[in-house]
Amino acid sequence: MEQTITIASNSEMGRDRISAYLWSVFLICFLGNASAGTISTIASVYLPVIADQLASAGSAEQIHEISAYINALYLVGWAIGGMSWGIISDKIGRVKSLAMCLASVGIFTICVSYASSWEVVVVLRLLGGLAVGGVMVITMTLLSEVWPSKTRSVVMGVVSIGFPVGIFSSGLVNVWVNDWRQAFFIGVLPLILAAVSSVHLKESSKWKLSQLTIAGDNSQKNSHFKAPGLVHGAVVFGTMLIALWSAFSWMPTWVQSLLQESSGQTERGSVMMILGFGGIIGGILSGWIVKVIGVRKSTLVCFSGALGISILLYGFTREFSFWIYPAITCLSFFFGISQGLLSFYIPQLFAVEIRAGATGFCFNAGRVITAVAVFSLGSLVMYLGGYGNALLLFSGFLLVGFFFVLVSKSPSQLTNQ
């Protein structure tokens, strides 16, 4: 046992010299997050068209209902998958789990292209969401374990922009590809990544060591759901996620509702690209911002900034104008910073043997609430008098997150295992 631990420790110390392999891990994780971002939002930009074509000349209310099912069930799958695959990867390893998730994402996304009814789309998006949830958790967990601590926050912040890069890409796809069925062939990318991951990636030595420790001493077993910092991580990440995902899911439809004399294809695509672009800049800068002002102050800035922009955007906009574009850019910038800093911060709260499962819970607890909110959005739109008011309601969770961070004390030490 001692010899094994020594070998693992030496391996950790030598990682700086395996730069080519480390950068390949970085690239696979980045592209995995990017494909997850594209696939997660590709349905949103095509949602009005998909619902209209598959509703069989349904009413506007029926189209709203179909849209809600497609978005909400995807979020349900994402939440369950993020929690489940995190625990699975704690048991069978990061690399095996990541390859399986990426392959599933690709297969179920491509199958959407052949869907004959909206019910089939709902089922396929649910299954795809299960796998995407795993990709988002495992990539960050793997990086937190293999990358040297000195530059870990910066690198993980950059990898976190893979998701907004994917959002930006979904906007490009919408502009370039008119047929939504062709657009879902984007699922080929995660299939390729799954093949490369299974052949090229090596299992985290920290995870291997944790399994040896558990096997040698049953007292080392920890509970995923009794971990210190679990509530802190879940509330902070979850409240931001609710506002973020409601914006990414429904902003194209909100923009469509503001237009008077336009099909909305260009505007919807432009909005998704801007959301992605702002998130990319925020994610890139997140690591340096954390180094300068710390996690707590950075988080407070993100919550207050996103809330202020949301109030201006959703509360005071009644018709489409070009000032919407810079406002959305600012909003996505704050979202990007938050996802970068929290993607680095949260995995470090937990011991290695429960890291992926506990991180998955924190990443996805808020998504359950989001799924319920998105599912009821059709009714909320009617009741509240428009998409803007409904989105403003969801943005109110940012206030909850802000005050929680303000009055709570973050765990004093990160678990740098």
Side-chain angles (χ1 to χ4, degrees):
M1 169 71 82
E2 291 180 358
Q3 183 179 3
T4 303
I5 294 174
T6 302
I7 292 172
S9 298
N10 290 337
S11 175
E12 294 293 333
M13 292 173 64
R15 274 208 170 87
D16 285 324
R17 297 193 294 270
I18 316 176
S19 58
Y21 174 73
L22 281 177
W23 284 114
S24 68
V25 175
F26 166 85
L27 184 61
I28 290 171
C29 290
F30 180 88
L31 292 176
N33 279 1
S35 64
T38 302
I39 289 165
S40 295
T41 52
I42 195 73
S44 295
V45 294
Y46 286 100
L47 200 54
V49 180
I50 295 173
D52 184 56
Q53 288 187 8
L54 299 181
S56 302
S59 63
E61 185 175 352
Q62 184 183 6
I63 291 175
H64 286 318
E65 184 178 355
I66 291 172
S67 300
Y69 272 109
I70 292 173
N71 269 337
L73 268 295
Y74 182 79
L75 287 174
V76 169
W78 189 339
I80 295 173
M83 297 179 189
S84 302
W85 278 106
I87 296 173
I88 291 170
S89 76
D90 284 335
K91 299 295 184 182
I92 70 173
R94 317 307 188 198
V95 173
K96 288 181 182 178
S97 301
L98 180 60
M100 292 168 66
C101 287
L102 287 168
S104 299
V105 170
I107 291 169
F108 293 125
T109 300
I110 292 172
C111 287
V112 173
S113 300
Y114 301 98
S116 57
S117 66
W118 67 266
E119 291 90 348
V120 174
V121 174
V122 168
V123 172
L124 291 173
R125 289 293 285 172
L126 171 65
L127 295 173
L130 286 168
V132 163
V135 171
M136 299 295 292
V137 170
I138 298 168
T139 53
M140 288 303 178
T141 304
L142 178 62
L143 271 177
S144 73
E145 293 175 359
V146 304
W147 203 272
S149 59
K150 185 176 180 180
T151 56
R152 188 180 297 152
S153 64
V154 175
V155 168
M156 291 185 69
V158 174
V159 169
S160 75
I161 73 171
F163 194 87
V165 165
I167 297 171
F168 183 86
S169 300
S170 70
L172 286 177
V173 171
N174 179 256
V175 171
W176 292 342
V177 181
N178 290 325
D179 188 345
W180 63 269
R181 294 184 183 276
Q182 294 179 7
F184 278 88
F185 278 102
I186 196 70
V188 170
L189 176 59
L191 277 178
I192 295 172
L193 289 174
V196 174
S197 298
S198 62
V199 173
H200 177 68
L201 293 185
K202 302 172 184 177
E203 191 53 73
S204 158
S205 61
K206 287 186 177 180
W207 176 81
K208 289 181 179 179
L209 181 58
S210 73
Q211 298 306 296
L212 291 173
T213 303
I214 292 173
D217 185 357
N218 287 331
S219 66
Q220 294 295 317
K221 291 184 179 180
N222 291 316
S223 170
H224 287 88
F225 304 110
K226 294 181 180 179
L230 192 70
V231 173
H232 176 87
V235 173
V236 173
F237 196 94
T239 50
M240 177 61 74
L241 180 69
I242 291 169
L244 181 154
W245 188 254
S246 64
F248 288 161
S249 296
W250 293 103
M251 191 172 285
T253 307
W254 171 67
V255 167
Q256 181 78 56
S257 70
L258 298 176
L259 295 168
Q260 301 296 327
E261 298 179 357
S262 172
S263 66
Q265 180 176 349
T266 300
E267 289 84 357
R268 294 196 312 270
S270 298
V271 162
M272 293 309 292
M273 286 189 289
I274 290 170
L275 279 172
F277 178 76
I280 290 168
I281 302 301
I284 290 174
L285 295 177
S286 62
W288 284 279
I289 293 173
V290 169
K291 283 181 173 292
V292 173
I293 65 174
V295 172
R296 187 170 183 273
K297 289 182 179 179
S298 300
T299 306
L300 289 172
V301 168
C302 290
F303 275 98
S304 58
L307 179 61
I309 296 296
S310 296
I311 292 172
L312 290 174
L313 196 61
Y314 306 136
F316 295 94
T317 304
R318 295 294 178 264
E319 59 182 26
F320 186 86
S321 62
F322 282 95
W323 87 270
I324 288 176
Y325 291 141
I328 293 174
T329 302
C330 292
L331 180 62
S332 62
F333 176 73
F334 288 117
F335 285 154
I337 296 174
S338 73
Q339 297 307 288
L341 72 91
L342 293 175
S343 294
F344 153 73
Y345 174 64
I346 289 177
Q348 307 304 310
L349 296 174
F350 309 109
V352 174
E353 62 266 24
I354 62 168
R355 179 170 289 165
T359 299
F361 178 83
C362 292
F363 280 9
N364 292 281
R367 197 164 275 121
V368 176
I369 300 174
T370 307
V372 174
V374 169
F375 184 75
S376 61
L377 187 67
S379 300
L380 286 173
V381 168
M382 301 295 182
Y383 180 77
L384 297 174
Y387 283 96
N389 292 337
L391 287 168
L392 185 61
L393 177 64
F394 297 154
S395 298
F397 281 94
L398 292 168
L399 189 61
V400 176
F402 176 85
F403 280 110
F404 185 89
V405 175
L406 189 64
V407 302
S408 298
K409 291 183 178 179
S410 302
S412 58
Q413 293 182 342
L414 299 180
T415 311
N416 290 313
Q417 298 187 35

